[in-house]
Structure formats: C-alpha cells, structure tokens
Amino acid sequence: MTDRPDIEGGELISVRAMDGGRGLRLRLRDRNGRPRTITLPSDWLGAMLAALPWPSEGDEVHAVASWSIDRGNGEDLLLTLRTPRGQAMTFALKPWQVAGMATIATYGGAAPVPRKSLH
C-alpha cells in the first residue's frame, strides 16, 4: 500500500452541497494546477471551524446593520445579528436575557435616554 500525497489547495473552483446536505464537495486546483475533488461529511464542519484562530474576546467589534428576533424551540428566542457585509450569527436567548438587554439599553447609558410619550 502506497501513501497518497497530501493535497495543498491553490485555487477554489466550487463548493456544492451533496445529497440532502450530508456533505460538501469541494472542487479545487492544487499547487501544481491539477484539478482535484474533495468530499467531506457535513458533521466535520463544526470541528473545522473550531480549529480556526478566532480573535479573542474584545479584539474586534462588528457593526450591526440589522437584527431580528424569532421564536425558537420552547421558550427560547432566536436573535439574529447581521453585519453590513452580510455576515450573520444567531443566538438562542431566554426572554429574561432580552429583557435585561433592553433595560441596559434604556437605563444603563451614561446619559439618560429621553422618554417618548404617546398621546
């Protein structure tokens, strides 16, 4: 049995989901210009993302372009934050956590937020 050489990607050609999302098929060119295909199970994606070096807490701040809150399973609320560049992340929150954020946003600032009245 011979050892197969490692593949070092040079250019990503395409990424496609396989049958019902059970995996990804990556088409690429290796460093020698040869086309290659790699298929990976979708349950590996979490481990691959966890291996990436993410900025430590507080090193990077992202602007929020839009947000939405939807009902999740049970009592959880799903808060989705979207950046101007189209990145999105969804968080599962308890209602009391959302209420706490609203309280801080309303009363926790350096200057009081002017109250609006409806007449």
Side-chain angles (χ1 to χ4, degrees), residues 64-114:
V64 173
S66 66
W67 60 273
S68 62
I69 294 181
D70 298 301
R71 291 253 174 234
N73 293 335
E75 69 174 38
D76 287 349
L77 299 170
L78 301 177
L79 170 64
T80 301
L81 303 175
R82 293 174 199 83
T83 69
R85 297 177 72 190
Q87 299 164 309
M89 185 168 278
T90 301
F91 302 87
L93 301 169
K94 303 294 181 200
W96 63 266
Q97 292 171 309
V98 175
M101 287 189 276
T103 300
I104 291 169
T106 303
Y107 303 109
V113 176

Side-chain angles (χ1 to χ4, degrees), residues 39-49:
T39 56
L40 302 170
S42 57
D43 60 355
W44 289 11
L45 296 176
M48 289 188 288
L49 288 173

Side-chain angles (χ1 to χ4, degrees), residues 8-55:
E8 186 175 347
E11 175 190 358
L12 181 63
I13 298 170
S14 67
V15 177
R16 296 217 169 113
M18 294 170 34
D19 307 318
R22 65 179 177 85
L24 289 178
R25 177 168 284 128
L26 287 78
R27 293 274 305 143
L28 57 97
R29 289 191 203 290
D30 66 15
R31 292 283 181 193
N32 297 319
R34 291 180 300 221
R36 303 287 190 131
T37 300
I38 300 172
T39 56
L40 302 170
S42 57
D43 60 355
W44 289 11
L45 296 176
M48 289 188 288
L49 288 173
L52 292 173
W54 296 98

Side-chain angles (χ1 to χ4, degrees), residues 53-64 83 85 87:
W54 296 98
S56 58
E57 184 119 359
D59 285 354
E60 193 170 341
V61 175
H62 299 278
V64 173
T83 69
R85 297 177 72 190
Q87 299 164 309

